[in-house]
Amino acid sequence: MHLANNFFEQLKLLSDLDRNIKITLTSADIDTEEIHSLVDKREQLLLNIISDVKKSPELAETEQWQAAIALTKEVVNLMAQQTAAIGQTLQKYRHGSKSVQQYKKFL
């Protein structure tokens, strides 16, 4: 019973971390250090949760675990979208910078 209680408490913490990651990723000014810190905390927490699931495989069948998996997929998709958007912005910046260098040749 203690293992199950601890498991559900950890899932709640995981959900809170995921919500904070989503908020940080969707803010106007993305704080990469904050995201890195949250993802590190999430990884450690997830290792503990997976350890509990290995000890008690029936925990993997719970609705809360399935919800955690779905939320993880959402966070991963959001991270991929933000990374792609930042990559496009960087590409535009680099192109603009090259254009400025070309114009400077004429000065």
Side-chain angles (χ1 to χ4, degrees):
M1 187 65 172
H2 175 67
L3 179 65
N5 288 340
N6 186 46
F7 175 77
F8 294 120
E9 288 173 16
Q10 290 184 59
L11 284 179
K12 171 71 172 106
L13 291 173
L14 184 69
S15 176
D16 292 344
L17 274 172
D18 285 341
R19 189 173 340 98
N20 288 337
I21 290 171
K22 287 172 76 173
I23 289 169
T24 304
L25 283 172
T26 55
S27 69
D29 187 28
I30 295 177
D31 183 351
T32 56
E33 289 181 24
E34 178 70 15
I35 292 171
H36 187 70
S37 173
L38 290 170
V39 169
D40 282 348
K41 289 177 188 175
R42 187 184 195 286
E43 180 181 9
Q44 290 303 310
L45 185 58
L46 197 54
L47 289 173
N48 292 337
I49 292 170
I50 290 172
S51 174
D52 289 347
V53 169
K54 286 181 181 177
K55 291 176 191 171
S56 244
E58 67 275 4
L59 293 174
E61 302 302 320
T62 63
E63 186 177 317
Q64 293 90 337
W65 177 247
Q66 298 305 316
I69 291 171
L71 189 54
T72 296
K73 289 177 182 178
E74 285 180 36
V75 170
V76 168
N77 287 335
L78 183 58
M79 287 179 130
Q81 290 170 359
Q82 291 295 348
T83 300
I86 290 169
Q88 287 178 343
T89 302
L90 180 59
Q91 191 174 25
K92 289 177 186 177
Y93 171 77
R94 286 183 176 161
H95 179 62
S97 180
K98 286 180 183 177
S99 294
V100 169
Q101 289 174 358
Q102 289 295 325
Y103 285 113
K104 282 185 176 181
K105 288 181 183 177
F106 298 111
L107 297 177

